[in-house]
Amino acid sequence: MQLPSLLMHVPGQPYLDESYRIVCFQTFLSVLQSSKTSDVDDIAFCMLLQNALKGIQSLLNGGKMKLMQTDQIGSLLAVLKKCMFHGLPGLSIEMPAALYPAPLPQYDKRSPVKQEQSEPATFKQTGNRRKKSKGKQRRGELGEEGREDLGDSGNESVLGADMLKLRLGDVQNSPCSDPRTRASDVAYVPAGKDHSSSHYTSWKRISSSESEYSDAEGGIQSKTRSYQANVRQGALACFLSAIKSIEKRVLYGYWSAFVPDAPGIGSPQSVSLMTIALKDPSPKTRACALQVLSAILEGSKQFLSVAEDANDHKRAFTPFSVTIASSIRELHRCLLLALVAESSSQTLTQIVKCLANLVSNAPYSRLKPGLLTRVWNQIKPYICHKDVNVRVSSLTLLGAIVSVQAPLPEVQLLLQQPSSSGLNNSGSATPHRFNSSEQWRKAFPSEGEPPDNPAGCTSSEPCWLLRLCVSIIVLPREGSCSDSDANFPSFSSVYEPCPLRLESLQVLALLVKGYFSVAQSYFLELGEVACRCMEEMDPSIQLHGAKLLEELGTGVLQQYKPDSAVAPDQRVPISVVVTFWTMMLNGPLPGTLQNSPHATLQTSACDALSSILPEAFSSLQNDQQILCVTLLLGLNHSENPLVKAAAARALGVYILFSCLRQDVMFVADTANAILNSLHDKSPNVRAKAAWSLGNLTDTLIINMETMGQSFQEEFSDLLLLKMLQSATEASKDRDKVKSNAVRALGNVLHFLQPYHIANPRFREAIEESLQALISTVQSEATMKVRWNACYALGNVFKNPALPLGEAPWTTQAYSALSSVVKSCKNFKVRIKSAMALSIPSKRECYGSTEQFCQIWSALVVALQKSEDTEDFLEFKYSASLRTQICQALLHLLSLAKSTDLPVIWETITENGDAIKSYVLQYLKSGVEENEAGVHTDLCERERVLKGAIEHLGGIEKELEGKAGVRVSVYLEDVLTNHANATELTEA
């Protein structure tokens, strides 16, 4: 057994060749697949298995071996499943040589250890109750290692009652606050399962006085059990390495082999990782199984997203979505069962972490409500557990609950329950309202007690979770610390352990982010909590205080968005927001922003400062406004790229504030700062600066439209030229920079005045910038970049001062947009190009007849191809694309000259029926919001069509006798058909 040692990777040395690795892998696999012969004793066989497992693990870890072939993966997973149950008391399974990926539960054949155990229905209750009681007493003496298996090897579904009997006994009615006494909500089981049946024996440790072997034999048995536990742990450790070596999409094909599913009526439950977590007598093995399950659950969101059981499925077969939903429910049941039964703090931590992983990935919006309520109620007692790690992981789980698919109605109801429904009513959630002698940690009502208020009723006191987190953050701790406190150097302080306070701050931030309506009643008080944290000496506490501040600011911003569903009277009042930010700016925020030794803290403080509500900023005192701007402009020169990027982004937010954007000096200072960052060596800084430059140029357009000539004349020509040149250069950068650089180019070219365009210094820069836009539209860049480039060209077409239709670049621009509208894979880019083609307001802007007709023909082809796509996801945009193309076609018809009509008529002659059906559909669709967010109602569409008919009718009248062109007649026929169809619908 020297082979595993030989495989240990020495850093800096090359690993075994691929061919040798495969030979070693097959050798170890053969050892694991072999059966124990009679001439090999148990301990030697365990050592053999253990070394083979170490060998495979070494290949996976040190050799970076990737498992790709199905037979290789299936064979390995089969032996790992066999080994992870090796020697588990009362359970023995026979596995096939290989597992195969399947969406349905895998079949595994169990061989009974004893004949009577394979027939649980034949058990009868005997008079052996006294021995069982004795076994329970021994369990208490033996502690963590005293767990044994159920007499019945296969019925994990009956664990609930027996485990609770074992763990709780007669202490369920005692006043002890141990979490394990609070099991009323845990052992929920599928309908039809009777957990009070006396046909099943409870778990017990067999004492030597009850056994049939001598003390020497007992020692051998104990040693054998220890070696068997090592094999199980080795198999689970190897499984953990295998998970990292297998693609997740491949791994989930074996989901049903390792994750429990609710058994059908009358059928036993398949063995799974939860079998070990619930049955294994070794806490270390139980913890290993939970680690493996956590690794499987991590990143499973997409796989689990298909689950659905919100509707009752009454079909002859069980859909895959229902199978996965059933598995998710069973995982909740088993993990909560394990939670209440566990005595080892380390294993308990793993259970809670596993639950947090499950909660983070399960699609609760597609499942029947109730799962999160059970988790919520059951985890509450563990917040006051003696072990700090258990408390921290419990808070992590609560954070997962309030962040998963927020806002969920079920969680909303849980948060709206008053504090008294989870804790004694002994205080409130904030420094102002807290009593420092609060005893919230010591009093938990029974799970069965009804809350003071029904769930969903608002209360004058804060929700339990908000109150809990603030208590942990700001109150001095009570009582002595646990042994695990020694791991944390900061425990000598008067506050709760630092990891616990940090986790509480993170949960509080997640609560504010997902359920702001719950937290907003305590908006100022939570601001005080953030202030207190930023005033502390510990940079990590300061950092999370700043993050909480940012979430509070963002919550208010969301409420005041134009499309917000929150009624004005339900929002945080502006006056309160002003008070909040005045407190911050008079408090620790300016100092935190200047705390240069801690760049991450400065970055978070910068992000927090950018979350201020514009309406509140304009109401701040003048000196506080100047302070904010001065701090951000100063931080934009920071040598740290994180800080510089955050400052550049914050300036991009501030430039949109109405009270600042009209200040020419501020716009100029911001422009210079942003242009400086746009040339930074850090790609992240350049990306943020490009975004801010896009916002700044949006401001130029807004000011041009609202302030007119006065602003344009005051703004520096030299600075405008620098912006044009810098944006052109940035448009050749990586895509994250490029997408906003082209947006800025479109805005600057729209902003230019005739005297700029006539200026020789601008001429070359304008030509280069236009060529940059055209080449970007035609490039293979990301769709976002091309979308922005089409949008930018549309902006360019709005500037009447540019020689549109005359300059050579016009032909190139129209050609690029015409190509994109016909053939781009992304329909959003097609929509934006069609929109750009419909912007010029005069016929001469489209140039020659040839060019005009090319645009017309391209739009007709694009209309016919509007349903052609290889990507099904694009199909949902096809209606918007047709709407935009029809608008562009009618716009062109309303501008057409007599020389354009022959080609237009030729197109109609060839494709008249198809065009007619699309235009009728466009007219019929009524009020529809197109991709640009413009509402075009039915009357407006008809008006445009009538305008085109009138325009073309006049031209055709002049041409009468010269050409047989009847485009107006064709359009009148379309309008008549539409009118008739409308009358029939109304009738």
Side-chain angles (χ1 to χ4, degrees):
M1 279 290 102
Q2 295 302 312
L3 197 50
S5 301
L6 292 172
L7 291 172
M8 295 299 288
H9 185 222
V10 179
Q13 297 295 318
Y15 205 75
L16 282 178
D17 289 341
E18 180 70 22
S19 58
Y20 291 120
R21 273 183 272 177
I22 293 169
V23 171
C24 291
F25 180 81
Q26 290 300 334
T27 304
F28 292 134
L29 205 58
S30 300
V31 171
L32 293 171
Q33 288 170 338
S34 63
S35 300
K36 187 177 93 67
T37 55
S38 56
D39 59 333
V40 179
D41 66 61
D42 288 336
I43 291 177
F45 187 63
C46 285
M47 291 175 70
L48 184 69
L49 294 177
Q50 212 175 328
N51 279 291
L53 288 164
K54 281 181 182 175
I56 288 181
Q57 191 177 1
S58 180
L59 284 168
L60 294 171
N61 292 346
K64 306 292 182 188
M65 187 174 174
K66 288 292 178 187
L67 300 171
M68 307 293 287
Q69 298 170 8
T70 304
D71 58 341
Q72 198 180 44
I73 295 170
S75 301
L76 176 61
L77 293 182
V79 294
L80 288 179
K81 183 167 183 180
K82 181 182 176 184
C83 290
M84 70 192 201
F85 292 105
H86 182 76
L88 188 62
L91 186 67
S92 176
I93 64 168
E94 289 181 10
M95 292 299 299
L99 293 174
Y100 297 97
L104 300 174
Q106 302 262 355
Y107 173 77
D108 44 42
K109 179 182 174 185
R110 254 165 281 161
S111 62
V113 178
K114 295 180 184 176
Q115 181 63 33
E116 62 269 22
Q117 287 180 336
S118 66
E119 298 173 8
T122 64
F123 271 127
K124 292 184 180 175
Q125 190 168 351
T126 66
N128 197 25
R129 302 296 291 174
R130 197 167 301 210
K131 281 192 177 181
K132 289 187 180 181
S133 298
K134 188 173 181 181
K136 284 180 192 174
Q137 291 165 5
R138 295 283 297 170
R139 171 77 175 98
E141 295 168 24
L142 291 162
E144 293 178 355
E145 294 289 347
R147 190 187 288 219
E148 278 293 350
D149 191 26
L150 273 173
D152 172 64
S153 63
N155 285 278
E156 192 177 324
S157 59
V158 299
L159 291 175
D162 289 312
M163 286 178 63
L164 296 182
K165 285 178 195 170
L166 174 68
R167 287 293 186 187
L168 308 179
D170 296 327
V171 301
Q172 277 181 316
N173 298 321
S174 76
C176 174
S177 63
D178 191 302
R180 286 166 292 170
T181 66
R182 302 165 48 80
S184 59
D185 195 36
V186 150
Y188 67 114
V189 294
K193 294 184 174 57
D194 181 8
H195 282 227
S196 61
S197 170
S198 61
H199 291 307
Y200 303 97
T201 59
S202 59
W203 292 0
K204 59 186 182 293
R205 176 87 175 188
I206 302 172
S207 70
S208 58
S209 61
E210 297 174 78
S211 68
E212 296 177 1
Y213 52 82
S214 65
D215 289 343
E217 288 172 327
I220 294 169
Q221 288 284 338
S222 176
K223 189 175 180 182
T224 302
R225 280 198 296 272
S226 175
Y227 273 87
Q228 288 170 339
N230 287 341
V231 171
R232 297 196 295 275
Q233 289 164 26
L236 291 163
C238 190
F239 194 178
L240 200 57
S241 298
I243 289 170
K244 295 171 185 175
S245 305
I246 303 172
E247 278 189 69
K248 278 291 172 79
R249 62 183 180 82
V250 176
L251 178 68
Y252 292 139
Y254 301 91
W255 173 273
S256 55
F258 298 99
V259 180
D261 186 19
I265 296 171
S267 62
Q269 182 156 25
S270 61
V271 291
S272 67
L273 286 163
M274 279 312 306
T275 311
I276 303 170
L278 287 164
K279 290 188 174 186
D280 202 292
S282 161
K284 188 174 179 182
T285 314
R286 299 195 296 271
C288 286
L290 290 158
Q291 276 184 303
V292 172
L293 184 56
S294 269
I296 292 173
L297 287 169
E298 195 172 338
S300 62
K301 187 173 288 184
Q302 188 174 357
F303 171 70
L304 297 181
S305 66
V306 302
E308 184 175 18
D309 71 350
N311 302 314
D312 291 324
H313 295 270
K314 295 181 180 178
R315 304 179 189 173
F317 66 95
T318 305
F320 182 61
S321 59
V322 176
T323 303
I324 296 297
S326 171
S327 185
I328 292 171
R329 287 190 168 278
E330 186 65 6
L331 269 173
H332 281 80
R333 186 185 78 82
C334 292
L335 284 168
L336 290 179
L337 210 55
L339 184 73
V340 79
E342 190 54 65
S343 59
S344 161
S345 294
Q346 288 80 3
T347 311
L348 199 55
T349 303
Q350 289 301 328
I351 293 170
V352 182
K353 284 182 178 178
C354 197
L355 267 170
N357 247 336
L358 174 60
V359 167
S360 297
N361 290 284
Y364 292 100
S365 58
R366 295 168 61 89
L367 302 173
K368 289 177 183 173
L371 288 175
L372 287 173
T373 302
R374 294 185 185 105
V375 176
W376 177 274
N377 289 333
Q378 196 54 36
I379 202 61
K380 281 183 178 180
Y382 293 90
I383 299 299
C384 64
H385 195 274
K386 63 180 180 180
D387 189 278
V388 173
N389 292 315
V390 175
R391 296 175 71 190
V392 171
S393 57
S394 300
L395 281 169
T396 304
L397 174 55
L398 289 167
I401 291 173
V402 296
S403 60
V404 64
Q405 295 171 297
L408 285 172
E410 182 180 355
V411 178
Q412 187 88 33
L413 287 173
L414 290 169
L415 291 169
Q416 285 173 348
Q417 291 176 359
S419 297
S420 51
S421 69
L423 301 162
N424 273 3
N425 187 9
S426 57
S428 183
T430 66
H432 283 314
R433 302 172 186 176
F434 269 126
N435 183 329
S436 62
S437 62
E438 187 178 42
Q439 301 294 312
W440 63 269
R441 302 170 180 83
K442 296 183 180 176
F444 288 88
S446 163
E447 282 301 334
E449 275 184 28
D452 292 351
N453 294 17
C457 292
T458 55
S459 169
S460 57
E461 53 180 320
C463 78
W464 171 78
L465 183 57
L466 189 147
R467 177 183 177 192
L468 166 71
C469 291
V470 177
S471 299
I472 292 172
I473 295 162
V474 303
L475 289 184
R477 60 177 169 168
E478 298 180 3
S480 59
C481 8
S482 73
D483 294 339
S484 63
D485 289 0
N487 298 326
F488 306 106
S490 60
F491 278 100
S492 56
S493 71
V494 295
Y495 292 112
E496 290 285 3
C498 187
L500 200 60
R501 298 181 72 209
L502 289 174
E503 199 62 43
S504 295
L505 276 165
Q506 290 187 62
V507 174
L508 206 52
L510 290 169
L511 173 61
V512 170
K513 182 178 182 178
Y515 299 88
F516 187 74
S517 59
V518 174
Q520 75 176 75
S521 302
Y522 308 93
F523 184 68
L524 289 177
E525 290 87 342
L526 289 172
E528 282 193 46
V529 172
C531 265
R532 284 185 60 166
C533 290
M534 287 192 288
E535 285 167 351
E536 291 196 23
M537 298 300 292
D538 187 334
S540 57
I541 297 288
Q542 289 178 300
L543 174 65
H544 284 86
K547 287 184 181 295
L548 174 59
L549 171 58
E550 183 187 357
E551 292 299 348
L552 288 164
T554 305
V556 175
L557 280 175
Q558 296 294 331
Q559 284 193 337
Y560 279 86
K561 273 189 171 181
D563 58 350
S564 171
V566 182
D569 61 336
Q570 298 296 312
R571 299 171 184 173
V572 179
I574 299 283
S575 58
V576 174
V577 183
V578 172
T579 304
F580 175 88
W581 282 106
T582 301
M583 174 172 66
M584 293 301 152
L585 293 168
N586 289 338
L589 187 56
T592 306
L593 282 161
Q594 297 172 77
N595 191 348
S596 54
H598 300 286
T600 312
L601 178 57
Q602 274 186 296
T603 303
S604 280
C606 224
D607 291 338
L609 193 61
S610 69
S611 68
I612 187 169
L613 184 70
E615 293 88 334
F617 183 87
S618 60
S619 299
L620 289 174
Q621 291 180 5
N622 193 47
D623 60 335
Q624 290 178 326
Q625 292 183 9
I626 293 169
L627 173 65
C628 291
V629 171
T630 306
L631 285 168
L632 291 178
L633 287 169
L635 289 172
N636 196 74
H637 297 286
S638 170
E639 292 180 4
N640 186 285
L642 287 174
V643 178
K644 193 167 184 176
R649 181 192 167 276
L651 286 171
V653 172
Y654 275 47
I655 198 67
L656 296 175
F657 290 1
S658 57
C659 61
L660 291 177
R661 69 171 180 238
Q662 296 177 359
D663 183 339
V664 177
M665 290 305 296
F666 172 72
V667 174
D669 287 344
T670 303
N672 281 311
I674 290 170
L675 292 177
N676 170 268
S677 295
L678 199 59
H679 295 96
D680 196 85
K681 62 182 179 181
S682 165
N684 187 41
V685 173
R686 296 200 303 276
K688 300 292 185 189
W691 179 81
S692 294
L693 183 62
N695 285 3
L696 188 144
T697 54
D698 285 342
T699 292
L700 295 183
I701 302 301
I702 294 168
N703 286 345
M704 179 179 74
E705 291 169 352
T706 56
M707 299 171 67
Q709 286 289 120
S710 61
F711 181 85
Q712 288 167 305
E713 288 171 1
E714 283 185 58
F715 197 77
S716 164
D717 291 353
L718 184 60
L719 184 55
L720 196 63
L721 181 61
K722 280 175 66 179
M723 289 167 66
L724 193 61
Q725 292 168 334
S726 296
T728 303
E729 187 181 337
S731 71
K732 298 165 190 170
D733 204 330
R734 57 184 65 194
D735 283 353
K736 283 190 175 180
V737 179
K738 189 183 294 186
S739 61
N740 283 298
V742 293
R743 175 165 73 100
L745 278 178
N747 283 329
V748 174
L749 289 167
H750 181 192
F751 182 81
L752 293 176
Q753 300 305 300
Y755 64 86
H756 293 131
I757 296 164
N759 188 332
R761 295 170 66 188
F762 273 85
R763 197 169 298 145
E764 185 181 348
I766 291 170
E767 183 64 32
E768 285 181 6
S769 61
L770 285 164
Q771 290 302 325
L773 283 180
I774 293 164
S775 62
T776 305
V777 169
Q778 295 172 317
S779 71
E780 293 299 317
T782 59
M783 296 310 162
K784 183 180 179 182
V785 172
R786 298 180 73 185
W787 187 95
N788 272 341
C790 292
Y791 175 83
L793 276 179
N795 261 342
V796 172
F797 295 164
K798 291 177 183 176
N799 190 344
L802 288 169
L804 195 59
E806 300 169 11
W809 58 262
T810 305
T811 304
Q812 295 172 292
Y814 285 135
S815 176
L817 291 170
S818 298
S819 174
V820 167
V821 81
K822 288 188 293 185
S823 59
C824 185
K825 291 179 181 178
N826 186 285
F827 276 23
K828 282 188 171 183
V829 177
R830 288 199 208 182
I831 290 166
K832 196 54 68 176
S833 60
M835 189 178 295
L837 288 169
S838 65
I839 283 175
S841 57
K842 296 178 181 178
R843 170 60 189 83
E844 52 266 30
C845 293
Y846 286 100
S848 67
T849 297
E850 183 186 0
Q851 189 166 282
F852 182 90
C853 292
Q854 283 174 354
I855 296 169
W856 165 268
S857 299
L859 287 168
V860 170
V861 171
L863 188 62
Q864 292 172 309
K865 287 185 173 182
S866 61
E867 294 179 1
D868 297 347
T869 177
E870 295 173 7
D871 187 351
F872 181 74
L873 294 175
E874 293 299 321
F875 192 75
K876 62 183 175 182
Y877 301 112
S878 60
S880 294
L881 176 58
R882 284 193 295 276
T883 297
Q884 193 58 57
I885 293 171
C886 286
Q887 286 178 6
L889 287 171
L890 291 177
H891 176 71
L892 290 177
L893 288 172
S894 64
L895 297 177
K897 295 191 301 186
S898 58
T899 52
D900 305 325
L901 293 187
V903 175
I904 292 173
W905 179 245
E906 184 183 340
T907 312
I908 289 173
T909 306
E910 293 173 4
N911 307 289
D913 291 342
I915 296 171
K916 183 177 180 179
S917 66
Y918 286 126
V919 174
L920 282 171
Q921 188 181 357
Y922 164 71
L923 293 170
K924 182 184 175 184
S925 60
V927 179
E928 183 181 323
E929 186 174 357
N930 64 17
E931 228 280 317
V934 179
H935 291 275
T936 312
D937 63 27
L938 190 60
C939 295
E940 174 64 17
R941 294 181 184 191
E942 287 182 9
R943 188 188 64 75
V944 172
L945 179 57
K946 287 174 181 175
I949 292 169
E950 189 178 333
H951 169 74
L952 292 169
I955 294 174
E956 289 169 356
K957 197 170 184 181
E958 293 174 13
L959 291 175
E960 196 167 356
K962 295 180 183 178
V965 177
R966 293 289 181 270
V967 180
S968 61
V969 176
Y970 170 81
L971 292 178
E972 283 173 355
D973 182 48
V974 172
L975 189 59
T976 304
N977 281 4
H978 169 65
N980 293 339
T982 306
E983 286 174 12
L984 284 171
T985 305
E986 290 173 354

